[in-house]
């Protein structure tokens, strides 16, 4: 896949992008879309429509691109945000950062919505996960 992506990048710069196999072009677009999503996860306004517009494709084309994936575009955004929140909540360096600030950092502006989504994915509320993960970890930041 890396060779296909490199080839797609090169072909695009030498006006040969249209000559690439359709699957190579699809994989290259999917990689660009995924990189864009990862880069913009903290934006609470990130939506499939914004992603499609940024890549100059229709919303329908974006959904078609994700049809062969395990999840929809919106589900992918939500999963990635929750994974980052989980990582931050279990990071001892961030133990003093409020849960709502961690959620907001990754695009969840409404705490109840975040809590419901987090509990649905991980089976525990964010606060319980944090207490279990960090309960016995010494505070390395010192007093504030």
């Amino acid at each position: 896949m890396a060779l296909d992506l490199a080839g797609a990048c090169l072909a695009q710069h030498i006006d040969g992008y249209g000559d690439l196999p359709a699957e190579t072009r699809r994989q290259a677009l999917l990689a660009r879309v995924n990189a864009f999503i990862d880069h913009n996860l903290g934006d609470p306004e990130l939506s499939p429509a914004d992603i499609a517009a940024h890549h100059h494709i229709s919303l329908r084309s974006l959904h078609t691109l994700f049809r062969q994936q395990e999840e929809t575009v919106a589900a992918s955004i939500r999963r990635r945000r929750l994974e980052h929140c989980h990582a931050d909540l279990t990071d001892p360096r961030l133990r003093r950062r409020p849960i709502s600030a961690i959620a907001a950092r990754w695009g969840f502006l409404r705490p109840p919505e975040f809590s419901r989504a987090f509990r649905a994915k991980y089976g525990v509320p964010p606060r319980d996960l944090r207490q279990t993960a960090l309960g016995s970890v010494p505070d390395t930041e010192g007093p504030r």
Side-chain angles (χ1 to χ4, degrees), residues 57-72:
I57 60 175
S58 69
L59 187 55
R60 181 180 177 143
S61 294
L62 179 66
H63 287 300
T64 299
L65 183 66
F66 270 75
R67 194 170 293 145
Q68 295 178 2
Q69 305 304 303
E70 294 180 12
E71 56 196 1
T72 65

Side-chain angles (χ1 to χ4, degrees), residues 2 9 12-13 21-22 25 29 36-38 46 58 63 68 70 73 96 99-101 110 119 121 133 135:
C9 183
Q12 195 167 18
H13 289 293
R25 290 192 314 269
L29 178 57
F36 179 80
I37 291 170
D38 286 338
L46 181 65
S58 69
H63 287 300
Q68 295 178 2
E70 294 180 12
V73 180
R96 290 179 170 254
I99 292 172
S100 60
R110 294 188 272 313
R119 187 179 307 188
K121 177 155 178 66

Side-chain angles (χ1 to χ4, degrees), residues 18 33 52 80 90 142:
V33 165
R80 293 174 199 198
T90 58

Side-chain angles (χ1 to χ4, degrees), residues 82-101:
L82 288 169
E83 288 171 353
H84 282 284
C85 288
H86 185 283
D88 284 359
L89 287 168
T90 58
D91 185 340
R93 297 169 298 175
L94 301 176
R95 72 179 304 130
R96 290 179 170 254
R97 184 168 295 164
I99 292 172
S100 60

